[in-house]
Amino acid sequence: MIQKNKIKWPSEIFNQDFEYSYRLFLDETINQSGKVFPKKQDLLNAFSFCPFDKLKVVIIGQDPYHGFGQANGLAFSVNRGVKIPPSLKNIFKEVQNSCFDVSSIHGDLKSWADQGVLLLNSSLSVLEGRPMSHKKLNWQKWTDFIVKYVSDNKESVVFILWGNFAQSKKDLIDCSKHLVLESSHPSPLSARHSFVGCKHFLKANQYLNVNIDWSIY
């Protein structure tokens, strides 16, 4: 079982919706013989690496990367040594456009999470080669609860919504007390519409009046 006591988030977030989806995830992991991503021990990395009391930014993804060895529990992130996916390449281009350093050739975003960035996939797991295959596990009901919980219980958080799917979560956010930044998705098919040049990393820091280091070393 996941050691939830090591995750520095309020215990009430692990509600019945979480327990229901997690049981289905365990069944899928057994039945699919290792073809479920991420690994069980990485499933809640977004919450493990970003404590609730440090939370400043929420970036919402759709579901984990579905290629072998890619998903690591953080939306848009891959472990060191894994080829950087096209969407993440475009994210790094925008990081550079915002005058932050991307001098390394890895896609590990743990340094962002450590600074208070919740990299949240709406569905926490996926079958190999089958995007959105775990929508049936009902993760989205729980992650919708998380988005609303953050909105209700925190002040002045930046919610970054890239693409139509993430933007569908906007109704869960109290825009009178938080900043919502929207653009097209960073995938090669849509990045040129409004993601390129969106300056979301700079705008987040300006709103928070803090210096989140978005660089990748």
Side-chain angles (χ1 to χ4, degrees):
M1 290 293 291
I2 291 175
Q3 293 181 306
K4 293 181 289 190
N5 61 316
K6 292 186 176 181
I7 296 174
K8 296 180 180 178
W9 277 65
S11 59
E12 62 259 34
I13 71 164
F14 295 105
N15 58 18
Q16 290 181 344
D17 291 327
F18 171 79
E19 297 294 346
Y20 173 79
S21 296
Y22 185 61
R23 285 196 301 270
L24 292 178
F25 166 77
L26 293 179
D27 290 342
E28 282 279 273
T29 300
I30 293 170
N31 295 334
Q32 296 295 331
S33 302
K35 294 184 178 180
V36 175
F37 305 134
K39 297 177 181 178
K40 182 173 67 175
Q41 62 266 31
D42 294 332
L43 187 73
L44 294 177
N45 276 350
F47 302 90
S48 299
F49 297 142
C50 177
F52 185 72
D53 62 354
K54 288 180 61 176
L55 180 61
K56 301 179 182 71
V57 178
V58 178
I59 298 178
I60 300 175
Q62 186 163 315
D63 61 345
Y65 295 123
H66 53 85
F68 180 80
Q70 289 183 304
N72 65 5
L74 303 175
F76 296 104
S77 176
V78 294
N79 288 330
R80 293 169 185 256
V82 176
K83 183 179 179 181
I84 299 174
S87 292
L88 187 54
K89 286 183 179 179
N90 283 333
I91 290 171
F92 284 170
K93 288 177 183 178
E94 188 58 30
V95 169
Q96 288 180 311
N97 288 340
S98 298
C99 300
F100 292 97
D101 182 18
V102 183
S103 58
S104 185
I105 53 173
H106 69 81
D108 185 359
L109 303 182
K110 183 176 179 293
S111 64
W112 292 4
D114 289 339
Q115 296 177 83
V117 180
L118 180 66
L119 295 160
L120 179 66
N121 277 315
S122 185
S123 290
L124 265 64
S125 58
V126 72
L127 287 173
E128 183 175 13
R130 293 173 56 188
M132 292 303 295
S133 52
H134 276 183
K135 186 176 181 179
K136 63 183 179 181
L137 268 61
N138 216 26
W139 281 124
Q140 292 186 37
K141 188 174 180 181
W142 182 61
T143 53
D144 281 358
F145 168 77
I146 295 299
V147 172
K148 190 172 188 309
Y149 186 91
V150 170
S151 176
D152 291 347
N153 292 278
K154 298 286 283 188
E155 299 289 335
S156 301
V157 172
V158 179
F159 289 84
I160 296 180
L161 311 180
W162 293 328
N164 293 334
F165 183 84
Q167 288 163 17
S168 71
K169 312 297 184 186
K170 188 174 181 179
D171 289 344
L172 302 168
I173 303 165
D174 184 349
C175 297
S176 69
K177 57 186 280 196
H178 304 290
L179 176 65
V180 176
L181 299 174
E182 302 175 76
S183 78
S184 59
H185 194 274
S187 74
L189 295 176
S190 58
R192 66 185 182 277
H193 296 307
S194 60
F195 177 78
V196 175
C198 67
K199 294 289 191 290
H200 282 177
F201 303 106
L202 287 177
K203 290 176 181 178
N205 282 7
Q206 290 167 355
Y207 175 80
L208 296 167
N209 198 27
V210 297
N211 185 30
I212 293 177
D213 186 359
W214 299 100
S215 301
I216 304 294
Y217 299 111

